Amino acid sequence: MAKKPSKGSGRRIPRIVIDLELSSEQAEQLLRMLKGRFEDNMARHGDLDWPDIQARLEAHPEKLASLHAMEDTGGAPDVVWYDGHTDEYIFCDCSVQSPEGRRNICYDGEAQEEREKKDVYPAGNAVDLAAAMGIQLLNEAQYRELQKLGAFDTTTSSWIETPVDIRQLGGALFADRRFDHVFVYHNGAPSFFAARGFRGLLRV
């Protein structure tokens, strides 16, 4: 009788590919969509004005390309904060659940490599994908601040930036919202799940 393969043996999930190419027409469409989302969610923005934000984006097309990648992977980015110390507008993934196009991923490249050595192939890893998109993973404080603006990750979870000492011991942090409370947990960094992606932020 043939030997039953081990669980996950040869499991291969399509790799996530980040596209930063943005035509002028796509850029115009993206700006219109971002403006609409901004106007539909004024409670997130305080007294910020869209024309100022759009002017900043038009002056930094590489930032618009990053927003395109965030949108393309299901992040629904929107302006959530303004940093007066650095004079930067901060966009964040505001999709209700963890961005659908960034799930089934390990925490970082080392964790992904460890998984692949076991003949299991995730879709990528959060740290490298964020870097490819030109964005930062949310840390715990930022994740908790985002949750003050709405109810996010009520059925999913998101990897968040992990302190070095935890990562050196093989762990990584993720967070979600359950029972109307925000929880932060740990997993082995090589773990990956169909309901876990990551949220990022972009400074403009």
Side-chain angles (χ1 to χ4, degrees), residues 68-107:
H68 167 67
M70 293 170 78
E71 182 69 30
D72 194 46
T73 52
D78 195 9
V79 181
V80 291
W81 304 300
Y82 172 72
D83 188 335
H85 296 291
T86 60
D87 185 28
E88 292 174 311
Y89 299 102
I90 300 176
F91 284 80
C92 186
D93 290 304
C94 291
S95 54
V96 175
Q97 305 304 337
S98 196
E100 191 170 0
R102 302 180 217 159
R103 300 183 191 176
N104 279 305
I105 58 173
C106 301
Y107 177 71

Side-chain angles (χ1 to χ4, degrees), residues 33-52:
M33 187 192 59
L34 291 170
K35 178 184 178 184
R37 184 174 292 142
F38 181 92
E39 293 173 344
D40 289 342
N41 297 277
M42 294 305 297
R44 294 174 182 166
H45 321 305
D47 57 357
L48 301 181
D49 295 316
W50 177 255
D52 297 334

Side-chain angles (χ1 to χ4, degrees), residues 5-6 44 51 53 58 71 77 119-120 146-147 149 156 163 166 179 184:
S6 60
R44 294 174 182 166
I53 298 167
E58 290 174 339
E71 182 69 30
D119 201 25
V120 179
L146 176 66
Q147 289 281 9
L149 301 179
T156 58
I166 294 176
F179 309 107
V184 175

Side-chain angles (χ1 to χ4, degrees), residues 18 20 62-77 90-94 99 102 105 125-139 142 159 161 197-204:
I18 300 302
L20 292 177
E62 75 283 1
K63 302 292 187 178
L64 201 55
S66 291
L67 287 169
H68 167 67
M70 293 170 78
E71 182 69 30
D72 194 46
T73 52
I90 300 176
F91 284 80
C92 186
D93 290 304
C94 291
R102 302 180 217 159
I105 58 173
N125 70 82
V127 171
D128 288 348
L129 285 169
M133 297 167 71
I135 66 176
Q136 301 169 256
L137 262 69
L138 296 185
N139 59 33
Q142 291 162 342
W159 289 115
E161 184 179 293
F198 75 91
R199 294 179 184 272
L201 65 81
L202 175 72
R203 292 176 172 270
V204 180

Side-chain angles (χ1 to χ4, degrees), residues 152-173:
F152 302 100
D153 286 336
T154 56
T155 63
T156 58
S157 61
S158 295
W159 289 115
I160 59 175
E161 184 179 293
T162 298
V164 172
D165 56 342
I166 294 176
R167 183 63 191 94
Q168 287 177 338
L169 294 173
L173 301 182

